Amino acid sequence: MAAIALLLLTAAAPVATALDSGRSLTQALHRIWQVQQGLPRATIYAVGQTSDGYLWLGTQTGLVRFDGVRFVSIREAARSGGVSLEGCWISDVTEDSRHALWAATEGSGVFRLGDGDAKQYTRQDGLPTDTVHRLFFDSTGTLWVGTASGLAVLRGERFATITDGVPATAIRAIGQSGDHTLWVGGDGGLFVSPDGTHFSRKEIASQPGSTVNDLTCLADGAVWIASGAGLIAIHGGDVRRFTTVNGLPDDRVLCVAAGRDGGSIWAGTRDGFARIRDGEVESFRSRDGLSQSTVYALIEDREGTLWVGTKHGLNQFLDRRTVPFTASEGLPSNNTGPVLAASAPEGTWVGTLDAGLARFDGRRFNRLTKAQGLPSDTVRALSEGAAGELWVGTSAGAALVRHDRVEQTVGLGQGLPSADVRCLYRDRGGALWIGTSAGLVELRDGRAVEATSAAGPLRQPILAMTGLPDGRLLAAVGGGAGLFTCVDGRLQPYGPGSGDALPPNDVVAFYRDADQNTWIGTLGGGLLLLDGTGRLTRYTVRDGLFDDDVYGIVADDQDRLWMACSKGIFSVPRTELIRFAGGQLRALVSAPFSPTDAQRTIECKPQVQPVACRTPDGRLWFATVRGVIVVDPARSRPKLSAPNAVVETTIVDGKNESADDLQRLSAGPHNFEFRYTGLSLVAPSRITFRYKLDGFDPDWVDAANRREAFYTNLPPGSYRFQVMATNADGTVGETSTPVAFTVPAHYYQRPWFIPACLLALLGISAMAYRARVRRMRERLDTILVERGRIARELHDTLLQGFSGVTMEMQALSARLPSGSDERESLHEIIRDAGTCMREARRSVAGLRDAPAGGQRPDGAGADDLVGAITRAATQLTETTRIRLKLDLRPPRQAPEPEVQYNLVRIAQEAVTNAVRHARPRSIEVTLDDAEDQMRLSIRDDGSGFDAHATASTPESGTADNGHWGLIGMRERAAQIGATLTLQSAPGRGTLVRVSLPLPVRSANRHATAQQTP
C-alpha cells in the first residue's frame, strides 16, 4: 500500500488534516461496513482513493467503488473492447498523473481504467506473470509492477522484466525515497537501486532474509518496512525493529502507511493494526471493535480519516466532535460520578461510583481509592477547597485530598447526620457545606455543625447547593421539599419574590452566571431562571428546550449554556434565554449533540455533583452513564472539506447512456434519471444536494439527502443538468460538470412545419391534379391495351372461325345443284356471313386505331419508382429507432409499370422482415444501374438467420414453413425476369439484392432465384 499512501500525500490539500495524535485510537469515531451494510464482499485486500474523492476497494471478487453511502461493483471496464473485471481478485489499486485508475490482480494481469477507456495488460504485453501484487508510480511517472515472478516496469505500452539484481521471486513492496532511490521488497528480501536499472541487496542487520510484505518511504529519508518478523524502520544507518515486545499487536506485519500528520506510522498485522509515533506503539484489535483481526490494507484519505480493510469488512476512523474517556482510555470505571476542573495545575478530577477517584493529567488517569484512604470508592460529589485542595464526597463520608493524598476524613464520628454525602459547596467565606442524604452541615474546625430549621433538624436529602448574590446559601432539598436558604445555620424555605411558583420537581443543578442570574436544573420540570430581582422564569420542552430533565449546567466562551440531560447534551445561547424571559422571543432553539455527532452515549449521569464542568482550556466535561464525554465548543461545528458533486449515471428510458449516447437521442418523450453523489467521506450521509436542469427548472431544486433526480416528457430543446453538494456544516462544494443533451423535436414540432404544410398543400393540390391526369392516362392506356387484346382475340378466334365456316359453306354450295332453292339459301347465308366478317374487321380496325402499350416520357417512370420505394421504407421505419439510409438513383431507362410495382413490393417486404424480426440499428436501401443491369439492395445490421436452412425450404412452401415473404419475393423477381440474391448469417445481418438485366423488356420472362449464405 505504499504507492497508495504516497499518492494520497501528493494529492492532499495544502493544509493537511489527520487523526489527532493526542487522542487514543479508542477515542476516534469508528464506523464499520460489512455485507449487511451493502459491501459486496467483506474481504478487502486493497484500499485507495482517487483525486475525485472516490474510495476504491480491491476484493477477492472484483473492484468496488465507494462514495461513503453506496458501494458499486465495477464489472464492465469498457463498453467496447471486451475488458471486464468480473470475478477478478484485486490485489492493489493506484492512480496515475492523468487520473486513470490502475488495478493489479491475482491471475488477470493489470487493468488501466481511464475516462471511457480501458486496457488489460497480461503476459502477452511483457509481464513475467499474470499474478501481480503491487503497483507503484515513481517521481517520473514510471509504473513499476511487483509480480509473483519478479519486478517489471512499463515502457511505452509494454512491460520489461528487471533481472539485474532482482530475483524472479514474489515482489510485494515498492517505494522511492527522497533521494530517488528505488526500494523493492518481497519473498527474496530487500533490494535498492539509485537509478532503477541495477539493484543490489539491502541486508537488514536486525532481521536478515526476512520477507518484505510492504514498505513506505518518508520525506525525511526514513523507510518503514512491513515484514514477517515485525516492523522495521531504516533511517540512514540506524535500524530499529518493532515487535510485540514494543507493543505491536503481532509480529506478522502485512501493510504499512505514513500518517498525514508527518510523524505517525500505521501498521496492519494479523492481529489488528497499530500507530507508531515518537517510538510509542498504540494498538487496536478486534476486541476493541475492529471488524476482524487480519488487516490487509490501510490508508489515510485526503480528509484525514483512516480506512482499514480487513478480512471481514471496511473500517473508518475519524476524529470525534467529542472526546470520550472510558475504561478503554484508562478511566478506572465506566460507572462515572462527578467531574470537576481544578484551577491549579492538578488537572481534571473524575469520580466513579465503584472505583474511587481519578485525576487526568492530560495524558493518563491517576487513581485514588479506598486503599489510599478514601472513605469509600463510591464518589458522589466533588468541590474545590483551598489552593491545591479537593473535597470528595463519598457514600461513607467526605475526605480532603491534597497532592493525591487523603489528608482528612469526615464521617459519622465527626457529626455527619448521614455518611452518604450527596453534594459539597464552599462558600465565598471559605466555609465548606456538606449535603447528606439526611440533612445539611457546615464543617467548622473539623467538626460538622448541623443546620436546623424552625421545626428542628432537616432530615431530607440535600441534592445541590449554590450561593445567592446576597451571600446566603441556597440548598435544594429532595422529596419535593423545594429550596431552602441558610444563614448562620438556620434554614428557611425560599420563595421567589415574583413570577411563577417553583415547580414540584426536585432541583438537581445550579449555575450562576456573570450577571448574577441563577440557573436551576430540575428533574422533569425543565430549566429555571432566577434573576437578580428574584423573578422566576421556567423553560420547558414546549418552549423549545431539548429535554425537561436538566442534570447539570455549564457555560462556554461563546455565552452559550450547555446542559446535561437524560437525552444527552444540548446548548442554548444565554442571550436567547434572557430574551425569552423578557417576552422578546416566542420559542427557543436548542442545539443537541446527537449520536451522529459521534457521541458514544446519549444519556448523562443524574444524582452526582457536579455533572458538568469547564476546564481552563475552555473544554466542557460531562459525566455520562458510560464514561466521560469532553466537548470543545470551539470545535463543536468543525469545518469540513467541501464535497465534490459528481453526476455518476444518466439513465434514459431505463438504459444507462454515455455522454456520446446523449447526443444521439431520438425525437419523442423520454424518461430521464440522473444519479449523483457528493464526495466527502467524513459525514457522507448528512450531505445535502441541490440540482437544476437548465432549460427546464427556473431555479435550483432542494433535494435534501436524495441522490436521484427524475424528469419525464421533456419538451424538445437543449438542457444542462448540474448538481451542488453541501456538507453538514454548510460548506458548499463546486458544482458538478454539467451533463448537456438535446431532445430533438418531431417534424411537426419544428418552426418550419406550418409553412411547409402550406407549401405541401399547394404541392399536393398540384400533385393531385397531375395524379388525376396520370390516372386518366393510365386508364386510357389500359383501355388501349384491352382494345388491342380484344382485337387480337376477335381476329384469332371469331374472324378465323367465321372464315372457316364461310369456306365450308362455299364448298357445300358448290356441291348443290345449280338453281336449287337450297343453294340459293346457302348463298344468302354466305353473303350474310361475309357481311358480318366485314363488320367485325372494321371493329378490329377500330380497336387498333390507337397505339397500345401506354408509353410515358423518359424519366417519369424512374422517378415514380424512387418515390415509391422511399415512401414504403420510410413508413415502415418512422415509428422505430432504426436509422434508415436511402441511396436511390433513378435508372436512366424507365422500367415498365409492372416491373416498378414488383420492385417496390420486394423492397417493402425486405424492410418489413428486418424491422419485425432482425432488431437492427440501421437499414440501408440502394438503387442504381450499371451498363447492363439495374440493382436494388436492402441491407440491415440485425440478428440475421441461417440462410442455409432457409434455402432448403421448398418454394411452393406451406403456411407452416414460415417463409411466405421470401417465397413471394422470389416469385416477384421471377415474374419480372430478375435474379434475387440472399445473404445472411446469425448475428451478421441480412442482404437482399435484386438484379434486373437492361434494357428492360416485357415481363413474364424466365428468371431464377439464387441464395448465397
Side-chain angles (χ1 to χ4, degrees):
M1 306 316 294
I4 299 174
L6 180 61
L7 167 67
L8 294 172
L9 289 173
T10 57
V15 179
T17 57
L19 281 176
D20 189 349
S21 58
R23 303 182 185 184
S24 66
L25 292 175
T26 55
Q27 291 177 316
L29 172 62
H30 180 200
R31 298 171 180 158
I32 299 177
W33 286 269
Q34 294 176 310
V35 174
Q36 297 86 342
Q37 289 76 37
L39 186 64
R41 181 84 178 193
T43 303
I44 298 173
Y45 295 95
V47 181
Q49 187 182 35
T50 46
S51 55
D52 54 12
Y54 280 111
L55 205 68
W56 295 85
L57 311 177
T59 72
Q60 191 172 355
T61 57
L63 186 64
V64 178
R65 188 185 69 195
F66 184 47
D67 65 355
V69 175
R70 297 181 296 207
F71 293 92
V72 179
S73 295
I74 307 300
R75 295 182 174 89
E76 187 178 273
R79 299 185 66 178
S80 60
V83 179
S84 173
L85 289 167
E86 181 73 27
C88 291
W89 184 324
I90 308 298
S91 56
D92 196 10
V93 290
T94 189
E95 184 185 29
D96 63 19
S97 59
R98 297 183 178 180
H99 308 300
L101 183 71
W102 293 74
T105 69
E106 299 284 333
S108 299
V110 176
F111 289 88
R112 182 187 66 199
L113 313 179
D115 186 11
D117 182 30
K119 183 173 181 179
Q120 182 179 10
Y121 297 87
T122 62
R123 295 183 64 179
Q124 297 179 353
D125 301 292
L127 283 174
T129 177
D130 288 339
T131 299
V132 181
H133 301 311
R134 188 68 70 234
L135 302 172
F136 178 77
F137 284 96
D138 63 19
S139 58
T140 65
T142 301
L143 176 63
W144 297 83
V145 176
T147 75
S149 300
L151 179 67
V153 60
L154 182 63
R155 293 171 179 165
E157 285 297 307
R158 288 194 60 82
F159 282 93
T161 302
I162 304 299
T163 59
D164 191 355
V166 181
T169 58
I171 301 298
R172 306 181 185 277
I174 310 172
Q176 188 177 34
S177 56
D179 60 358
H180 303 292
T181 298
L182 203 64
W183 296 70
V184 175
D187 292 352
L190 185 65
F191 305 89
V192 296
S193 173
D195 55 5
T197 56
H198 173 72
F199 285 82
S200 60
R201 181 180 293 274
K202 178 75 173 180
E203 296 291 348
I204 304 175
S206 62
Q207 194 65 33
S210 176
T211 298
V212 176
N213 295 319
D214 195 9
L215 63 84
T216 186
C217 301
L218 305 188
D220 61 0
V223 180
W224 290 79
I225 301 170
S227 74
L231 181 66
I232 302 170
I234 303 176
H235 196 181
D238 298 331
V239 178
R240 182 177 179 183
R241 185 162 66 100
F242 294 85
T243 64
T244 54
V245 176
N246 308 97
L248 210 62
D250 191 89
D251 286 342
R252 293 166 294 177
V253 184
L254 304 179
C255 55
V256 61
R260 292 168 62 92
D261 59 4
S264 297
I265 295 295
W266 301 99
T269 75
R270 290 281 186 181
D271 188 21
F273 70 97
R275 176 171 60 187
I276 300 92
R277 183 176 177 84
D278 298 331
E280 295 187 2
V281 180
E282 180 186 6
S283 298
F284 195 96
R285 299 178 173 88
S286 57
R287 64 171 178 258
D288 300 311
L290 195 65
S291 61
Q292 198 268 340
S293 57
T294 304
V295 176
Y296 287 113
L298 44 78
I299 65 165
E300 280 192 40
D301 67 17
R302 65 183 186 182
E303 295 175 285
T305 64
L306 177 69
W307 296 89
V308 179
T310 72
K311 190 180 288 187
H312 196 54
L314 177 67
N315 302 258
Q316 182 188 22
F317 296 84
L318 65 158
D319 285 335
R320 299 172 179 266
R321 291 174 57 187
T322 58
V323 180
F325 288 101
T326 64
S328 299
E329 290 78 38
L331 195 66
S333 170
N334 288 337
N335 194 6
T336 314
V339 292
L340 181 69
S343 57
E346 278 81 3
T348 304
W349 297 92
V350 180
T352 69
L353 299 182
D354 56 7
L357 180 67
R359 180 176 62 84
F360 184 67
D361 62 5
R363 294 184 62 86
R364 58 182 58 86
F365 287 94
N366 301 305
R367 188 179 178 190
L368 187 65
T369 65
K370 185 178 179 180
Q372 285 81 43
L374 281 180
S376 169
D377 284 337
T378 302
V379 178
R380 298 187 185 277
L382 295 174
S383 178
E384 194 170 12
E389 294 181 348
L390 176 73
W391 282 96
V392 183
T394 73
S395 61
L400 174 64
V401 176
R402 184 184 295 115
H403 304 307
D404 291 345
R405 295 180 58 185
V406 178
E407 298 285 345
Q408 179 186 351
T409 60
V410 179
L412 296 175
Q414 287 74 36
L416 289 182
S418 170
D420 186 11
V421 177
R422 296 294 186 90
C423 58
L424 299 166
Y425 178 71
R426 187 168 180 263
D427 64 22
R428 61 187 182 184
L432 180 69
W433 295 85
I434 304 175
T436 72
S437 60
L440 175 67
V441 300
E442 180 185 4
L443 189 63
R444 299 177 185 173
D445 299 327
R447 297 291 301 175
V449 179
E450 188 171 4
T452 61
S453 66
L458 189 65
R459 299 302 182 187
Q460 296 289 336
I462 308 300
L463 303 181
M465 293 182 286
T466 189
L468 292 174
D470 58 9
R472 291 179 297 167
L473 178 71
L474 184 64
V477 182
L483 300 178
F484 283 77
T485 60
C486 183
V487 179
D488 297 331
R490 300 292 293 180
L491 291 168
Q492 60 181 2
Y494 176 80
S498 62
D500 296 334
L502 283 171
N505 309 81
D506 284 342
V507 173
V508 293
F510 291 111
Y511 174 76
R512 202 167 81 193
D513 63 21
D515 296 332
Q516 302 305 311
N517 296 313
T518 302
W519 300 88
I520 304 171
T522 71
L523 291 180
L527 176 69
L528 305 177
L529 167 61
L530 182 63
D531 62 20
T533 65
R535 185 177 184 273
L536 189 70
T537 304
R538 184 181 179 191
Y539 310 86
T540 65
V541 171
R542 292 178 179 272
D543 305 315
L545 208 66
F546 182 59
D547 193 10
D548 282 340
D549 288 327
V550 179
Y551 301 153
I553 309 168
V554 66
D556 64 11
D557 293 334
Q558 287 79 41
D559 200 24
R560 291 178 293 181
L561 291 185
W562 291 74
M563 283 160 266
C565 67
S566 61
K567 293 165 60 178
I569 304 167
F570 69 98
S571 65
V572 182
R574 190 180 69 94
T575 55
E576 291 189 8
L577 292 167
I578 299 296
R579 293 177 61 198
F580 182 89
Q584 300 173 357
L585 281 181
R586 301 185 60 181
L588 301 172
V589 178
S590 301
F593 263 54
S594 66
T596 56
D597 293 316
Q599 186 174 330
R600 188 173 292 181
T601 59
I602 61 171
E603 184 177 356
C604 289
K605 193 76 169 184
Q607 303 293 337
V608 296
Q609 291 294 331
V611 178
C613 70
R614 178 181 179 275
T615 56
D617 59 6
R619 297 193 300 170
L620 308 179
W621 290 57
F622 296 89
T624 74
V625 295
R626 187 176 181 268
V628 174
I629 290 292
V630 181
V631 177
D632 187 350
R635 299 179 58 186
S636 63
R637 297 183 182 275
K639 195 69 173 177
L640 302 176
S641 61
N644 181 26
V646 176
V647 180
E648 295 182 315
T649 307
T650 302
I651 302 174
V652 182
D653 298 331
K655 179 182 178 182
N656 290 357
E657 300 288 357
S658 65
D660 293 337
D661 294 332
L662 288 175
Q663 308 309 314
R664 297 189 295 268
L665 292 176
S666 61
H670 296 286
N671 295 326
F672 290 86
E673 178 183 352
F674 300 95
R675 295 181 182 177
Y676 51 84
T677 189
L679 296 176
S680 176
L681 302 177
V682 174
S685 62
R686 300 179 66 192
I687 296 176
T688 58
F689 300 92
R690 293 192 303 158
Y691 63 80
K692 183 180 181 183
L693 183 62
D694 292 332
F696 184 81
D697 292 324
D699 202 353
W700 290 88
V701 178
D702 188 358
N705 301 107
R706 182 163 48 88
R707 299 181 180 227
E708 299 92 8
F710 302 90
Y711 292 90
T712 58
N713 298 328
L714 289 176
S718 297
Y719 301 95
R720 293 169 72 251
F721 180 81
Q722 50 190 334
V723 180
M724 185 183 301
T726 304
N727 245 328
D729 64 345
T731 305
V732 181
E734 293 185 3
T735 306
S736 66
T737 302
V739 177
F741 62 97
T742 299
V743 177
H746 283 290
Y747 64 89
Y748 55 80
Q749 295 173 313
R750 298 181 181 179
W752 49 261
F753 177 70
I754 293 178
C757 286
L758 297 176
L759 293 176
L761 183 60
L762 296 175
I764 290 172
S765 300
M767 291 174 61
Y769 175 76
R770 294 183 61 184
R772 179 174 176 80
V773 173
R774 184 170 61 251
R775 284 196 301 271
M776 293 177 65
R777 183 174 298 173
E778 290 174 351
R779 291 178 62 186
L780 178 61
D781 291 345
T782 303
I783 292 172
L784 293 176
V785 171
E786 183 64 15
R787 290 171 66 177
R789 186 187 68 80
I790 294 173
R792 290 193 299 271
E793 293 296 327
L794 289 175
H795 179 272
D796 296 338
T797 57
L798 182 62
L799 293 180
Q800 294 296 335
F802 267 109
S803 298
V805 171
T806 302
M807 292 176 64
E808 290 179 357
M809 288 190 296
Q810 289 176 347
L812 179 61
S813 174
R815 291 197 296 272
L816 291 176
S818 178
S820 64
D821 293 336
E822 290 82 359
R823 186 171 183 175
E824 288 299 328
S825 297
L826 189 57
H827 282 171
E828 280 296 324
I829 293 172
I830 292 172
R831 284 194 297 271
D832 290 340
T835 301
C836 290
M837 289 181 64
R838 286 192 296 273
E839 292 297 330
R841 287 191 176 94
R842 282 198 295 270
S843 296
V844 170
L847 289 174
R848 292 185 174 275
D849 203 24
Q855 295 296 324
R856 293 166 177 78
D858 289 342
D863 289 337
D864 288 346
L865 176 61
V866 170
I869 294 175
T870 300
R871 287 190 298 273
T874 302
Q875 290 173 359
L876 290 171
T877 60
E878 65 180 355
T879 60
T880 70
R881 295 186 178 180
I882 300 173
R883 184 168 60 90
L884 177 64
K885 181 179 179 182
L886 299 175
D887 184 12
L888 306 176
R889 301 175 184 177
R892 289 167 294 187
Q893 182 175 352
E896 295 179 359
E898 186 177 359
V899 174
Q900 296 184 42
Y901 176 83
N902 284 284
L903 288 177
V904 171
R905 292 297 176 262
I906 292 173
Q908 185 178 25
E909 183 65 25
V911 174
T912 300
N913 288 341
V915 171
R916 291 182 178 177
H917 307 297
R919 300 184 300 276
R921 291 190 298 259
S922 64
I923 298 175
E924 182 179 358
V925 182
T926 60
L927 176 67
D928 59 5
D929 59 348
E931 294 181 357
D932 57 345
Q933 64 179 356
M934 178 173 61
R935 292 188 299 268
L936 172 65
S937 300
I938 302 93
R939 181 189 302 272
D940 68 77
D941 58 356
S943 58
F945 59 95
D946 189 352
H948 290 288
T950 306
S952 63
T953 303
E955 290 199 6
S956 57
T958 67
D960 294 334
N961 62 29
H963 298 290
W964 278 116
L966 297 177
I967 294 172
M969 287 191 289
R970 296 191 190 102
E971 291 176 348
R972 292 187 184 279
Q975 186 176 357
I976 62 175
T979 300
L980 185 140
T981 304
L982 178 66
Q983 297 179 359
S984 184
R988 296 186 180 181
T990 302
L991 171 65
V992 176
R993 176 174 293 160
V994 179
S995 300
L996 186 66
L998 294 177
V1000 180
R1001 295 183 295 273
S1002 60
N1004 298 322
R1005 68 184 67 177
H1006 176 71
T1008 60
Q1010 173 185 346
Q1011 291 186 139
T1012 303

